[in-house]
Amino acid sequence: MHTASGFLRKRVWGVAAAVVAATLALSFALPIQAHALEVERWTAKPNKDGDSTTVLGATATRVTWQGQSDEGESVASVTIEFPEGSTVEAENVKTTVLSGLDRLEAEAQASVQGTAVVVTLAEPAPAGALIMIECNRALLPGEGGTFGLAGSYTTADGQSLEMPATDQVITVSGTSPTEQASSWLSEQEWVKAWNSNKFLHLFFDPSLIVTSVPALLSGWLVSLGLVIVSFPLAIPLGLIWSFLRMAKHRLPRAIGATYINIVRGTPLFLQLYIAFFGLPLMGVQMDPFMMGAIVLIMNSSAYLAEIFRAGIQSINKGQSEAARSLGMSGVQTMFFVIIPQTVRRVIPTMTSEFILMYKDTSLLAAVGVMELMMYAKTITAATGNVTPYIVAAGFYLIVTIPMTKFINSMEARMANGHRKHKKTDGGSGDSPSASFEPGSDAAVARSIRMSETFAGPAEADAAAQLKKEAQLGSNHMSH
């Protein structure tokens, strides 16, 4: 029994010795540096203007990989797998090898195979060296995402090993097509030459123009919305103020004159400040868009009131007298005879007021309304470049230039029509064209004929009798 147990112990010790011997033999047979490379860095440099943390996709950035080899490990090449959709050029890859504190003059050849960057050292890096690979002007996927490290490396003895796992990732923000186009433009040689001039770069940077246009478009639509809402409402209010200004009674005339003089005599900028900062102190809270529209309506109505007043007073008094002689009431005379002629005369001036209101929407940027100027101001503050203001000026000109052309053409047509009306055939008093001369009896008669359309049967009979008497009087004068 004792002999059997001793034999068993010897067998166990023999097996254990064999295992130890095999382990030692295996350790000598395999490289001790397997998976000993340690990844110290896998990062991308932020590339968004005014932001020190965001990495934009499809925008040039610098991707850096850094690995520390083991004391017994010599690295001959490194392969880094970039995510699908990335772009890296071999000439923009830089390799640095450090041994302790010494920078080695290591020659390396970089090549790009699909989305993989392969860096091969002419001489394997010394054991324990620090290897850093910088991929400059690399473009990461435009759709964005979070990307970890993938790849492999080769040792001096020819072994290919997987890149060690690391918890470091690169987080990329997605970019819009316009941002991608801007990034592409900034890489073009002609754009670089253009931006080499300081004035052109600060005021007309092509890449910034591309990104500013869609950003400012929403603000431009807000500015247009303000004018489209405000101007039609300012017209009837302006008519009311003009009627008060011309009223026969002292009280309404004083109310109209006071309002018009105060609004026209103070800056719109001050009126905006009073509305946006004064009313909230009284507990009046309102949407900034609506508040801005109300201030624009009240301001423009005062100017339109004076425009309408001047237009109404420019109509010959004979027009009113002729209409009243037909039995038309004062209200009928105003709305069917005076106002139609007034509107025709003041359309150019009203269009100018529309342009002024459109440009005055830029003042709303000072009180926090996100209109065109506010967007341009925000982008300029973020980029330190004046180009967004130039783009904003272009958006204003899209409206103002056609409207100015419209005013000029309308004034030219009216001027040509006035000259034609003044032409006479040999100075004859009964020339048809004489009926168009402002203030003439013929013009009054023409206006009477036009007003007959709005008159009732009694007024029509009165008009017929008036014309008959005028004809009899004319025949009597000729005899």
Side-chain angles (χ1 to χ4, degrees):
M1 193 71 177
H2 177 74
T3 303
S5 63
F7 176 76
L8 183 60
R9 280 197 298 271
K10 288 180 180 181
R11 291 293 300 271
V12 171
W13 280 108
V15 172
V19 171
V20 171
T23 303
L24 291 174
L26 187 62
S27 66
F28 282 110
L30 293 177
I32 61 174
Q33 70 270 21
H35 294 282
L37 183 70
E38 182 180 346
V39 176
E40 293 190 351
R41 192 174 183 187
W42 171 243
T43 59
K45 182 181 179 181
N47 55 359
K48 183 177 181 180
D49 293 334
D51 192 331
S52 60
T53 59
T54 302
V55 178
L56 293 175
T59 305
T61 184
R62 182 176 67 242
V63 177
T64 303
W65 174 89
Q66 184 173 302
Q68 176 72 56
S69 62
D70 191 73
E71 291 298 332
E73 183 179 56
S74 177
V75 177
S77 68
V78 177
T79 300
I80 302 174
E81 294 282 354
F82 277 76
E84 289 294 330
S86 301
T87 302
V88 184
E89 296 181 0
E91 58 267 23
N92 293 329
V93 179
K94 177 183 177 183
T95 304
T96 304
V97 179
L98 297 175
S99 180
L101 298 178
D102 299 327
R103 181 188 294 269
L104 304 181
E105 295 182 1
E107 295 183 4
Q109 181 179 4
S111 62
V112 178
Q113 302 173 6
T115 57
V117 176
V118 181
V119 175
T120 304
L121 298 172
E123 294 291 337
L130 177 70
I131 303 172
M132 182 168 64
I133 299 175
E134 295 178 350
C135 301
N136 295 295
R137 312 202 72 78
L139 303 179
L140 295 173
E143 62 273 13
T146 301
F147 309 106
L149 176 61
S152 61
Y153 69 100
T154 305
T155 60
D157 57 6
Q159 292 195 43
S160 180
L161 305 171
E162 292 295 325
M163 189 71 70
T166 177
D167 57 357
Q168 299 184 53
V169 295
I170 296 176
T171 302
V172 179
S173 296
T175 54
S176 63
T178 55
E179 291 174 323
Q180 296 181 28
S182 174
S183 177
W184 178 83
L185 272 175
S186 63
E187 299 297 318
Q188 304 306 304
E189 293 300 326
W190 71 269
V191 175
K192 294 178 181 178
W194 176 279
N195 287 338
S196 62
N197 182 289
K198 187 174 182 180
F199 172 79
L200 296 178
H201 171 62
L202 287 176
F203 289 86
F204 301 96
D205 187 343
S207 58
L208 195 52
I209 289 175
V210 171
T211 55
S212 297
V213 168
L216 297 181
L217 179 61
S218 56
W220 180 58
L221 294 177
V222 172
S223 297
L224 284 178
L226 282 166
V227 179
I228 292 173
V229 169
S230 303
F231 194 73
L233 295 177
I235 292 175
L237 186 60
L239 276 173
I240 293 173
W241 289 120
S242 67
F243 291 151
L244 291 176
R245 183 75 172 81
M246 295 183 296
K248 296 180 179 180
H249 299 287
R250 182 176 300 177
L251 180 59
R253 189 168 63 248
I255 293 174
T258 302
Y259 177 84
I260 293 172
N261 290 333
I262 290 177
V263 172
R264 285 166 54 92
T266 55
L268 174 59
F269 192 77
L270 177 60
Q271 297 167 18
L272 289 170
Y273 263 58
I274 292 174
F276 276 83
F277 300 114
L279 294 181
L281 296 177
M282 299 176 57
V284 179
Q285 300 293 337
M286 193 177 297
D287 179 75
F289 182 91
M290 295 305 301
M291 179 75 78
I294 290 173
V295 175
L296 290 176
I297 291 170
M298 296 180 67
N299 178 270
S300 183
S301 65
Y303 289 90
L304 289 173
E306 288 297 275
I307 293 173
F308 290 138
R309 185 172 70 90
I312 291 172
Q313 292 180 345
S314 69
I315 305 299
N316 194 300
K317 291 184 178 180
Q319 305 276 333
S320 300
E321 295 172 355
R324 297 302 294 272
S325 68
L326 293 174
M328 298 178 70
S329 66
V331 174
Q332 287 178 318
T333 301
M334 180 60 67
F335 282 95
F336 295 132
V337 178
I338 305 301
I339 289 182
Q341 298 180 72
T342 300
V343 170
R344 187 175 67 250
R345 294 187 179 187
V346 301
I347 280 180
T349 313
M350 287 176 61
T351 309
S352 297
E353 177 61 24
F354 177 89
I355 294 174
L356 289 175
M357 176 186 282
Y358 172 61
K359 293 189 295 184
D360 284 343
T361 58
S362 61
L363 297 176
L364 294 173
V367 290
V369 179
M370 293 302 294
E371 47 71 63
L372 177 57
M373 196 63 183
M374 188 65 171
Y375 277 93
K377 180 181 177 182
T378 302
I379 300 174
T380 297
T383 60
N385 194 296
V386 189
T387 301
Y389 285 142
I390 303 300
V391 177
F395 274 108
Y396 284 113
L397 293 176
I398 289 175
V399 175
T400 57
I401 288 180
M403 294 298 290
T404 303
K405 293 288 186 181
F406 171 74
I407 294 173
N408 294 337
S409 63
M410 180 172 291
E411 290 178 342
R413 286 197 301 269
M414 293 177 67
N416 291 336
H418 183 67
R419 284 194 294 269
K420 290 178 181 180
H421 297 161
K422 282 191 172 183
K423 288 181 181 179
T424 59
D425 297 332
S428 173
D430 8 271
S431 170
S433 61
S435 62
F436 295 95
E437 185 176 350
S440 65
D441 292 339
V444 176
R446 178 174 179 270
S447 178
I448 292 174
R449 288 195 299 271
M450 293 176 61
S451 65
E452 288 179 2
T453 306
F454 308 104
E459 289 84 352
D461 293 341
Q465 182 65 28
L466 182 63
K467 286 192 289 184
K468 183 178 180 180
E469 292 176 356
Q471 185 177 5
L472 292 174
S474 176
N475 295 334
H476 180 73
M477 290 289 294
S478 62
H479 289 303

